[in-house]
């Protein structure tokens, strides 16, 4: 009996799917365009990862190059800069995550509490603007502000009688300045997700808390934040997956000869080995290593979130 019911249920589901596709075939036809794009440019390009296991020669092509197995990985793991690149990537990303992850949440809560619509729109526009700027432009602005010789901030400090500070010329200060700029550039755009989540908070809960005498801080702490907790967990999992994928343009644009200790990251190493040194097998292997570690971090953090009773990502 159970088997017959299961078959009947599957048959009904299949019929319902057919009716849905037949009714909305125009929409499904449009959906084929992005699916084909993803298959060609996302999954199709993954065949190039085989370069990481070959002694790749441009003249011989991907499939004509000799297979060397894991020898390329042995070479990259023995590189002098590889260990430093991994440490620097983790350092910059962990610091950016620690200081940058809470900022969009705080900004979203603050923007949600603003009553003036005009002031709210202006604030949102100013906060979103850095996201649409190239990091080359942001780096140029940073050098105009934090430059040691002619930076606006150092000129102000000198006019006040203080000594100039090498914000971008000292290794430790470079890291602090980099994290500050990265957080500033990304915090506005991140608020969009949390503002959307806050709009789904049941207004009856807010009204009930007001009736009970809860002040604004208590409403935020006991209602708003718990309601957006699933979104926060999902975004945290996604950010943890990026711990090994530091932005190339942000580091490269802020590099200089005075501060070089923390500027060699994995994307920079991929660029140096692949573009500058034409060692394509090594650069592909480094990129593959980075991607695998990122996948492990996402799956691991998702597993931990589910063990803690959260919905997780998958």
């Amino acid at each position: 009996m159970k088997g017959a019911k299961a078959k009947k249920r599957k048959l009904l589901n299949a019929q319902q799917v057919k009716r849905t596709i037949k009714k909305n075939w125009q929409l499904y036809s449009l959906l084929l365009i992005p699916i084909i794009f993803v298959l060609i440019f996302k999954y199709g390009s993954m065949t190039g990862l085989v370069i990481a296991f070959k002694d790749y020669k441009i003249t011989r092509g991907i499939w004509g190059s000799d297979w060397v197995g894991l020898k390329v990985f042995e070479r990259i793991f023995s590189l002098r800069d590889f260990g430093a690149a991994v440490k620097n990537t983790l350092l910059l990303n962990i610091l950016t995550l620690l200081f940058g992850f809470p900022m969009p949440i705080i900004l979203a809560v603050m923007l949600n509490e603003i009553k003036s619509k005009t002031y709210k729109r202006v604030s949102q526009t100013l906060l979103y603007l850095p996201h649409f700027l190239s990091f080359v432009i942001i780096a140029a602005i940073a050098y105009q502000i934090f430059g040691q010789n002619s930076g606006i901030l150092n000129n102000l400090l000198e006019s006040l009688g203080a000594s100039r500070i090498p914000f971008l010329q000292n290794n430790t200060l470079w890291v602090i300045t980099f994290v500050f700029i990265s957080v500033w550039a990304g915090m506005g755009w991140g608020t969009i997700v949390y503002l959307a989540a806050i709009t789904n908070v049941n207004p009856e809960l807010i009204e009930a808390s007001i009736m009970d005498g809860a002040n604004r801080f208590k409403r935020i702490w006991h209602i708003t934040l718990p309601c957006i907790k699933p979104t926060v967990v999902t975004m945290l999992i996604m950010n943890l997956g990026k711990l090994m994928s530091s932005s190339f343009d942000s580091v490269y644009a802020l590099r200089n000869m005075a501060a070089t200790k923390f500027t060699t990251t994995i994307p920079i190493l991929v660029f140096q080995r692949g573009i500058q040194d034409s060692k394509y097998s090594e650069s592909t292997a480094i990129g593959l290593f980075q991607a695998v570690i990122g996948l492990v971090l996402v799956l691991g953090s998702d597993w931990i979130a589910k063990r803690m009773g959260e919905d997780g990502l998958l």
Side-chain angles (χ1 to χ4, degrees), residues 243-267:
L243 286 181
M244 287 294 288
S245 57
S246 174
S247 173
F248 168 78
D249 53 349
S250 59
V251 177
Y252 192 79
L254 287 171
R255 294 178 83 204
N256 60 79
M257 296 303 296
T260 58
K261 184 177 180 180
F262 300 105
T263 56
T264 300
T265 59
I266 290 180

Side-chain angles (χ1 to χ4, degrees), residues 90-223:
L90 289 174
L91 173 67
L92 296 179
N93 285 338
I94 289 173
L95 289 176
T96 304
L97 180 65
L98 287 175
F99 293 99
F101 184 76
M103 288 306 297
I105 303 173
I106 297 170
L107 281 174
V109 171
M110 292 174 64
L111 288 171
N112 185 64
E113 295 297 320
I114 295 175
K115 302 302 180 184
S116 174
K117 292 184 178 180
T118 303
Y119 185 78
K120 187 175 182 178
R121 290 196 192 99
V122 172
S123 301
Q124 286 178 302
T125 303
L126 292 175
L127 289 170
Y128 298 163
L129 182 61
H131 176 79
F132 299 100
L133 296 177
S134 168
F135 218 95
V136 176
I137 298 175
I138 293 176
I141 296 172
Y143 272 101
Q144 292 297 320
I145 296 174
F146 298 105
Q148 186 175 7
N149 297 324
S150 58
I152 297 172
L153 186 55
N154 273 313
N155 289 341
L156 178 61
L157 290 173
E158 189 177 43
S159 65
L160 295 175
S163 57
R164 291 179 174 270
I165 301 174
F167 291 104
L168 295 169
Q169 285 73 33
N170 176 274
N171 287 315
T172 304
L173 293 177
W174 185 92
V175 172
I176 296 173
T177 307
F178 173 85
V179 172
F180 173 80
I181 294 171
S182 298
V183 172
W184 168 76
M187 65 182 182
W189 184 252
T191 59
I192 294 177
V193 176
Y194 298 109
L195 278 173
I198 290 174
T199 57
N200 291 323
V201 176
N202 190 346
E204 294 181 359
L205 296 175
I206 304 294
E207 294 173 2
S209 65
I210 294 174
M211 294 292 292
D212 291 338
N215 57 30
R216 182 172 295 183
F217 177 78
K218 289 184 178 179
R219 294 199 299 269
I220 293 171
W221 187 257
H222 295 289
I223 297 176

